[in-house]
Amino acid sequence: GADPGPACYRRGGPPRTGFCCGLAVSDINVMLGKLRPNLFPSVFGPNMDQPLDVDIVRERFEKVASDVNKNFPDALPKNAFEVASGFLAIAVDHMAIAIKEVTTRRGVDVSGYALCSFGGAGGQHACLVADALGIETVFLHPLAGVLSAYGMGLAEVRQFQESVVELILPNVGVSEHDEKFHAIFNSLVGRAIHDIKEQCPLVATDDIAVSCRAQIRYEGTDATLLCDWPLDESKPASAPAASPASVAVSAVLADFAERHRTQFGFVMGDKKLIVE
């Protein structure tokens, strides 16, 4: 989980600097009774053998309430519970605003949709966020709390490697820069495979799918397009490699032209191409 995480995790909580009071949203829910420590396992603290720390949460909220009352003497005094409730209202508003950014502001009326809640803290806020958005239905899967962990377990292991090239793409059949392109691409392929095998020692090279791409632009322009660079089909799966530039160029030219036509509506056949 989070490190150091909220104060109730017994790892110190967020840094107490400036306006930060060393509390997180989970601490708010502990203070308000939405998180019940007796229902949590004793896996917190340096040795991961202690329950959630309610006392430190109360102590810090009382300190915040005291500071608020001291700095705003003309306002009605607030207790720790009221301060925590105010913090939660702000947190919920921020979550609702984030959803509005990708829905309401793009002309989508969210009131006719269901709010899908996931993550360990999703259920703590789903109803409040739905109310703030005018949504009447919340979808909460039984495994919502472990969705991210489940997804990580099923996700493919990937490695991305990149390098600056800045070379002119040669014409069909011309071997100029072949060695440079070959060295750059295959160095990246080798590093990616090495990194994957370091993470997953039991994975055979034959089972690793390799793809090569190049950022390409017309000479004299700065708009690059990500194009596929074919692999060398003469190489076995146990030793994947990129095709030499003189062999790959026709496929790369066609791919670039199609992408440029799709995005900009034209191609410039007389312009040289730069591989970035």
Side-chain angles (χ1 to χ4, degrees), residues 2-78:
D3 186 16
C8 61
Y9 280 14
R10 297 180 182 269
R11 293 183 182 173
R16 303 178 70 180
T17 57
F19 292 102
C20 182
C21 53
L23 294 162
V25 176
S26 293
D27 295 317
I28 297 173
N29 289 315
V30 169
M31 185 67 203
L32 297 177
K34 292 175 178 286
L35 287 182
R36 295 161 61 185
N38 61 305
L39 298 179
F40 281 75
S42 296
V43 294
F44 303 98
N47 299 319
M48 302 179 68
D49 58 356
Q50 295 176 281
L52 285 174
D53 190 346
V54 181
D55 294 335
I56 189 65
V57 172
R58 289 200 184 107
E59 177 186 315
R60 292 190 180 182
F61 268 112
E62 286 169 1
K63 173 67 166 60
V64 174
S66 174
D67 290 345
V68 169
N69 294 330
K70 185 185 302 182
N71 286 291
F72 299 93
D74 296 332
L76 289 173
K78 303 290 184 183

Side-chain angles (χ1 to χ4, degrees), residues 206-265:
D206 296 20
D207 295 328
I208 299 175
V210 174
S211 64
C212 295
R213 294 178 180 176
Q215 291 278 8
I216 300 176
R217 60 178 173 82
Y218 281 121
E219 188 178 36
T221 68
D222 56 9
T224 62
L225 295 174
L226 187 62
C227 300
D228 293 322
W229 192 283
L231 295 175
D232 189 342
E233 295 182 358
S234 67
K235 300 293 184 182
S238 58
S243 290
S246 55
V247 176
V249 64
S250 57
V252 175
L253 284 171
D255 188 32
F256 177 83
E258 179 61 28
R259 293 175 189 270
H260 201 278
R261 187 179 289 107
T262 299
Q263 184 159 340
F264 300 107

